[in-house]
Amino acid sequence: MSVPITPVEGLIAGALAAGFLIAGLFFLKFWRRTRDRLFLAFAAAFGLLAVGNALPVLLGTPHEERGGIYLFRLAAFVLIIVAVLGKNLRPRT
């Protein structure tokens, strides 16, 4: 039995997606100012998190069938980890 998305869950998911997009836009603004790749990676990661939150609501995916959508979160967190490691392991000039 699949459980549909309730209106409250849709509202919360939309608010989270909007918050992730706003955070991504802030990081994009910082990247434009500094051209630091870390900010660009954070902007992309927050964009992926926003897509990961909005996609189940937009597609009407039941709770049981959201396994593939979590790959967006995984990609976002891997992107953040790689960016932080790249920033800290890079030789300073």
Side-chain angles (χ1 to χ4, degrees), residues 14-89:
L16 282 172
F20 284 139
L21 282 177
I22 290 170
L25 289 174
F26 273 115
F27 281 113
L28 200 59
K29 181 177 101 173
F30 298 142
W31 172 76
R32 285 182 51 204
R33 189 178 306 158
T34 64
R35 296 293 182 200
D36 190 350
R37 290 186 303 182
L38 181 69
F39 291 134
L40 185 61
F42 269 84
F46 276 104
L48 284 171
L49 288 172
V51 168
N53 268 336
L55 211 55
V57 177
L58 294 174
L59 297 177
T61 309
H63 292 286
E64 296 83 14
E65 300 172 6
R66 292 186 186 174
I69 294 175
Y70 286 108
L71 292 175
F72 285 102
R73 287 185 188 174
L74 177 65
F77 290 125
V78 167
L79 184 61
I80 290 172
I81 290 169
V82 168
V84 169
L85 287 175
K87 177 81 172 179
N88 288 322
L89 297 177

Side-chain angles (χ1 to χ4, degrees), residues 5-21:
I5 297 172
T6 65
V8 173
E9 288 174 331
L11 179 71
I12 292 171
L16 282 172
F20 284 139
L21 282 177

